[in-house]
Amino acid sequence: MKKIDLHIHTIPTISDSHFIFSIDTFKNYVREAKLDAVAITNHDIFDITQYKIIQSELPIVVFPGIEINVDKGHLLLITNPERVDSFDSRTSKVSQRITKIGDNISYEELVEIFGNLDEYLIIPHYEKSPAITGNTLEKLTRFVTVGEVDSPKKFIRSIKDTEKLTPVLFSDSRMKENLINFPTRQTFVDCGNLSIEALKSSLGDKAKVALSADEGNKLFQLFEDGQKLSTGLNVLLGARSSGKTHTLNKINESEENVKYIKQFALVQQSEEQEFKGTLEKKRSVFTENYLSGLKRVIDQIINIDIEANEQLVDNYVTTLLKAAEDFNRSDVFSKVKLFDEIEFTIGNLQSLKSLIESIRQVIENKEYHNIVTKHLEINSLIALIMELISLLRANHLEIEKKKVVNSLIRDIKSGLRIRTSAVQVEDVDLYRISLDYKAVKKFEKIVEFLKIDSTILKETIQGFTIEAQKRKFAGAGEIKSVSGLKTAFSAVYQLYDQPYQYLRELLKNDYIPRSDLYKFFVKIDYKILNRDGFEVSGGERSEFRLLQEINDSQNYDILLIDEPESSFDNIFLRSDVNQILKDISKSMPVVIVTHNSTVGGSVGADYVLYTKKEIIGGKITYRIYSGYPTDKKLHSIDGSEINNYEVIMNSLEAGISAYEKRRISYEATKN
């Protein structure tokens, strides 16, 4: 990150209070603030002699500039140092036209004086008085990269607002004698070489501008040889077989928790069935959550055996009738009080436990504490829960006593049954059996409801819509697919419309885990819809998978992508892929290998790496050159350098001549 202050005054003008310029103050400010570049921007005047003195005294880049009153607003106009002579002659015309307070020039005069404004860094007062506004700002729009603000608060607000210009915060200070308190308003920019072109490129990307060095990207050592990588977005360029994939593999091996999206991996896996299978796996958490209620019901129902219950009832009726017929055959054993005694019903404490737990949550809840206390006394709730806990303990003790007594009753009845010739009525819990019947009926109603066709999820992700629909299984084949078993399910499927019988049949298959039974009652289909609401085509499936893979990388520490452009059109790459890559690179290093100018040239890379295969001593060596996208040269660890422009042209545009031919061809068809 480079620290810059491009708004500094060194000459008192009619717009300033008088001050005496001090080069020592300026030098101390640059040293104390640790600046990398400054610009001299006096009001409507440029002094080339003073500029050259300052340039020779300061050990940093000093840009020549001027602050001009244009249509009653102020703007900074800054150029490269090597154009200072031409700049001096142009700015003198400004000085001739603005000679007293209230004078200003129009936008048209500005163009007349300076010509092509694209050659300058133009920074209007934006969220700062006097601001360039209205028609003047509109006319300047195509030349303006950033806007100056006058407070950190406005800077942050502009950074977050996508409709606003990239903000810059500068000191706007006078380098005068006896200046004690140096200004603290400067801007950090993620940039390599400092030139007007490099600054315009970097300042045009809000992700590369910050108020502190900590907020921006940093370089960190990647390999043992000292090769570095940006903590932001890195583009890896190079010809075919120059070592790009080799470099990605090396990063993958050297770093932990890497998300590596390999070339063509997504395209090869985008056949429809495989795509849907993968989609269902990724959405398995939603499926599980949606069917969690059914799962809990099934956990209870599998313990209910209606057939066994019917047998118990039948035995009870049979023995009851037999006992009535043989009443006269009663003997001393059958006349004992306990001979036909019924066991105590063992109650269930679950509802009481649930009630206690609910009250505990009401008492301990912090989020809605105020609402709770508005309607209920906490002390009353505490008294209630204590009474319920006491009741729970008493009921628990009672149940334990009944269990002991029931055990004694069973032993005594068994002993009497052996000794008597009378028929003993079979004991049966008719109440429990009636509850079992009701539970089964409820279970069947739930299953029938779940089988009704309906959409249960609509979720929009990066322009695509994920839709989940539930329905009945269409046949045994679909059930077999869910099971993942080779077993035939034709016989089982015949009972599919009788949920309880179907469940009992499934329970006979020992290979089906009990915890998976809920998956066999309702089919949940997922599909992806495009922006027009239609199911995605093959190409769109690949696009969706790419966006999903990139999005999923947020759980990793570094993201590597090998040629994401494979089989994707440039509009998709520019509008979707580039944006999501840019967003993710704010939180983790991203390395993209690409030959595509839409990705490599438009993604807004923070750092460029270029691989080149070289034969040294008969051995293949992959040399890596690196630098900032705006650097003129890229450098290798051993000191070699290579022209960055040629690298970009050769890697992304098939060479300079090919690029020029295309450009001319495009221009010819433009109109």
Side-chain angles (χ1 to χ4, degrees):
M1 297 290 280
K2 298 294 194 305
K3 192 176 185 182
I4 59 175
D5 182 358
L6 304 185
H7 194 165
I8 294 175
H9 295 267
T10 57
I11 298 174
T13 67
I14 55 175
S15 300
D16 298 286
S17 300
H18 180 71
F19 69 88
I20 299 174
F21 170 68
S22 167
I23 187 65
D24 289 333
T25 297
F26 207 165
K27 289 162 70 176
N28 289 337
Y29 170 51
V30 167
R31 185 180 63 253
E32 292 295 323
K34 299 179 180 177
L35 292 170
D36 295 295
V38 293
I40 310 301
T41 52
N42 293 302
H43 286 294
D44 308 310
I45 189 171
F46 177 71
D47 183 339
I48 189 170
T49 303
Q50 186 201 50
Y51 167 77
K52 290 185 175 178
I53 293 171
I54 294 171
Q55 188 185 35
S56 66
E57 292 286 338
L58 297 183
I60 61 173
V61 177
V62 181
F63 291 105
I66 186 171
E67 181 173 6
I68 308 174
N69 193 338
V70 179
D71 291 337
K72 299 181 179 178
H74 286 193
L75 66 76
L76 306 178
L77 190 144
I78 305 167
T79 190
N80 277 317
E82 55 268 28
R83 300 183 63 212
V84 67
D85 292 330
S86 166
F87 189 69
D88 180 48
S89 64
R90 294 177 188 274
T91 52
S92 64
K93 297 176 183 176
V94 174
S95 301
Q96 291 167 11
R97 301 188 189 193
I98 300 178
T99 58
K100 62 180 183 298
I101 292 176
D103 286 349
N104 63 86
I105 63 173
S106 65
Y107 165 79
E108 287 73 21
E109 290 175 296
L110 184 74
V111 175
E112 177 193 333
I113 294 171
F114 290 97
N116 184 7
L117 298 183
D118 263 335
E119 296 177 354
Y120 302 89
L121 174 59
I122 295 177
I123 307 174
H125 278 206
Y126 186 54
E127 297 270 342
K128 178 177 181 176
S129 181
I132 300 285
T133 58
N135 290 334
T136 307
L137 182 61
E138 196 171 317
K139 292 173 185 174
L140 282 166
T141 298
R142 57 173 290 215
F143 309 109
V144 168
T145 309
V146 293
E148 188 175 5
V149 299
D150 59 9
S151 72
K153 182 180 178 181
K154 291 177 181 175
F155 182 98
I156 294 169
R157 193 168 61 199
S158 294
I159 281 286
K160 292 180 178 178
D161 190 338
T162 55
E163 300 296 319
K164 288 184 177 292
L165 288 172
T166 303
V168 285
L169 183 65
F170 297 138
S171 70
D172 196 2
S173 290
R174 280 68 180 161
M175 292 295 111
K176 58 187 178 184
E177 283 186 345
N178 303 318
L179 182 64
I180 299 173
N181 298 318
F182 290 127
T184 57
R185 297 188 298 183
Q186 301 90 20
T187 296
F188 287 84
V189 57
D190 193 4
C191 184
N193 294 334
L194 286 166
S195 66
I196 291 300
E197 293 75 18
L199 283 173
K200 286 176 71 172
S201 175
S202 298
L203 291 172
D205 185 347
K206 285 186 175 180
K208 295 181 180 178
V209 181
L211 284 178
S212 74
D214 294 336
E215 295 174 52
N217 293 313
K218 298 179 179 64
L219 298 181
F220 66 97
Q221 185 167 328
L222 179 64
F223 298 138
E224 289 183 356
D225 63 3
Q227 178 60 51
K228 293 181 178 179
L229 203 67
S230 170
T231 54
L233 184 53
N234 303 268
V235 168
L236 179 54
L237 305 173
R240 295 288 178 194
S241 304
S242 63
K244 300 185 298 301
T245 301
H246 169 79
T247 303
L248 285 190
N249 290 337
K250 200 173 168 186
I251 296 172
N252 188 35
E253 292 166 3
S254 63
E255 299 292 316
E256 295 183 356
N257 200 26
V258 176
K259 175 73 174 181
Y260 189 179
I261 303 175
K262 297 187 177 181
Q263 186 182 6
F264 303 125
L266 302 172
V267 180
Q268 292 170 350
Q269 295 175 12
S270 290
E271 292 299 327
E272 184 171 359
Q273 289 304 319
E274 188 174 358
F275 175 75
K276 287 192 172 182
T278 305
L279 184 63
E280 287 179 4
K281 282 182 183 176
K282 283 184 174 288
R283 295 284 154 183
S284 60
V285 173
F286 171 79
T287 301
E288 194 166 327
N289 288 337
Y290 182 77
L291 296 177
S292 60
L294 176 64
K295 186 172 186 291
R296 287 195 296 273
V297 172
I298 289 176
D299 288 342
Q300 296 174 4
I301 297 300
I302 58 176
N303 295 316
I304 296 176
D305 189 338
I306 294 297
E307 190 175 340
N309 283 348
E310 289 175 346
Q311 185 61 48
L312 287 174
V313 172
D314 187 55
N315 289 343
Y316 168 72
V317 172
T318 302
T319 55
L320 183 63
L321 292 173
K322 187 67 176 173
E325 289 175 1
D326 297 345
F327 179 74
N328 293 332
R329 294 171 62 184
S330 297
D331 53 28
V332 65
F333 299 104
S334 64
K335 291 180 180 177
V336 173
K337 288 284 186 183
L338 293 178
F339 183 73
D340 286 322
E341 186 58 69
I342 299 172
E343 295 183 16
F344 287 111
T345 299
I346 303 299
N348 189 339
L349 297 176
Q350 189 55 48
S351 61
L352 183 54
K353 288 179 179 176
S354 299
L355 179 60
I356 292 171
E357 175 60 20
S358 298
I359 296 172
R360 183 189 67 77
Q361 288 186 16
V362 172
I363 294 172
E364 296 181 356
N365 184 278
K366 302 295 183 189
E367 188 175 0
Y368 304 108
H369 180 76
N370 292 337
I371 297 176
V372 170
T373 54
K374 180 179 174 183
H375 298 279
L376 298 171
E377 288 286 341
I378 293 297
N379 287 337
S380 298
L381 290 173
I382 293 173
L384 173 60
I385 198 170
M386 289 177 67
E387 186 174 344
L388 291 174
I389 290 172
S390 297
L391 180 62
L392 176 67
R393 288 173 177 166
N395 287 353
H396 179 73
L397 179 61
E398 192 68 17
I399 286 173
E400 292 303 310
K401 287 178 180 176
K402 287 178 178 177
K403 286 180 179 176
V404 173
V405 173
N406 284 346
S407 176
L408 290 171
I409 290 173
R410 280 194 296 276
D411 287 345
I412 293 169
K413 287 176 68 176
S414 177
L416 293 171
R417 185 167 56 244
I418 293 171
R419 288 170 174 79
T420 185
S421 58
V423 175
Q424 192 177 51
V425 179
E426 290 284 345
D427 192 9
V428 60
D429 188 345
L430 295 173
Y431 179 70
R432 180 189 63 76
I433 290 175
S434 68
L435 290 180
D436 285 351
Y437 276 110
K438 285 189 175 183
V440 169
K441 291 292 181 186
K442 188 174 181 181
F443 160 68
E444 292 184 330
K445 278 188 175 181
I446 291 171
V447 172
E448 291 307 319
F449 169 77
L450 289 173
K451 288 179 179 176
I452 298 172
D453 291 2
S454 69
T455 300
I456 55 176
L457 171 72
K458 268 196 174 183
E459 184 180 339
T460 301
I461 298 178
Q462 291 135 10
F464 293 93
T465 299
I466 299 176
E467 190 173 281
Q469 292 182 321
K470 65 180 177 67
R471 63 171 174 84
K472 294 176 66 173
F473 280 105
E478 287 189 343
I479 295 174
K480 182 178 179 179
S481 178
V482 168
S483 73
L485 302 174
K486 294 181 179 179
T487 314
F489 281 83
S490 302
V492 181
Y493 183 70
Q494 291 178 6
L495 298 170
Y496 183 59
D497 290 331
Q498 304 169 55
Y500 176 74
Q501 296 303 326
Y502 174 67
L503 174 64
R504 302 304 301 178
E505 202 64 25
L506 288 173
L507 285 168
K508 293 177 183 176
N509 190 328
D510 294 333
Y511 294 103
I512 301 175
R514 298 296 182 261
S515 59
D516 286 351
L517 286 169
Y518 71 98
K519 299 176 181 176
F520 291 75
F521 288 85
V522 59
K523 181 80 170 73
I524 295 180
D525 295 318
Y526 292 92
K527 59 183 178 181
I528 306 298
L529 307 179
N530 61 23
R531 289 171 175 79
D532 299 321
F534 297 109
E535 199 157 355
V536 292
S537 63
E540 288 171 328
R541 281 199 292 273
S542 298
E543 292 177 359
F544 177 78
R545 285 180 60 86
L546 175 61
L547 293 176
Q548 284 286 281
E549 289 292 326
I550 296 173
N551 205 37
D552 289 348
S553 67
Q554 295 180 62
N555 299 321
Y556 294 81
D557 294 332
I558 186 169
L559 170 62
L560 310 178
I561 308 180
D562 197 350
E563 298 190 36
E565 63 265 28
S566 302
S567 295
F568 299 126
D569 62 59
N570 285 332
I571 293 176
F572 168 72
L573 292 170
R574 186 174 184 278
S575 62
D576 296 75
V577 176
N578 282 3
Q579 185 57 51
I580 191 171
L581 287 174
K582 192 71 178 172
D583 290 341
I584 287 178
S585 70
K586 293 175 183 174
S587 58
M588 64 192 295
V590 176
V591 185
I592 315 166
V593 168
T594 185
H595 295 281
N596 182 287
S597 59
T598 300
V599 177
S602 302
V603 74
D606 300 306
Y607 206 59
V608 174
L609 296 102
Y610 174 70
T611 56
K612 187 176 180 183
K613 184 170 68 177
E614 298 176 358
I615 308 297
I616 300 177
K619 293 184 177 179
I620 295 175
T621 299
Y622 297 109
R623 192 190 299 274
I624 301 176
Y625 297 84
S626 60
Y628 290 91
T630 52
D631 287 349
K632 302 291 184 187
K633 301 285 185 182
L634 301 180
H635 297 87
S636 66
I637 295 301
D638 60 7
S640 300
E641 63 179 31
I642 194 166
N643 186 292
N644 191 10
Y645 179 70
E646 291 180 5
V647 164
I648 292 172
M649 285 292 108
N650 291 335
S651 301
L652 302 180
E653 305 288 353
I656 296 172
S657 60
Y659 171 73
E660 286 298 325
K661 283 183 180 177
R662 280 198 301 277
R663 187 183 64 77
I664 294 170
S665 175
Y666 295 153
E667 286 293 326
T669 59
K670 187 175 180 181
N671 295 320

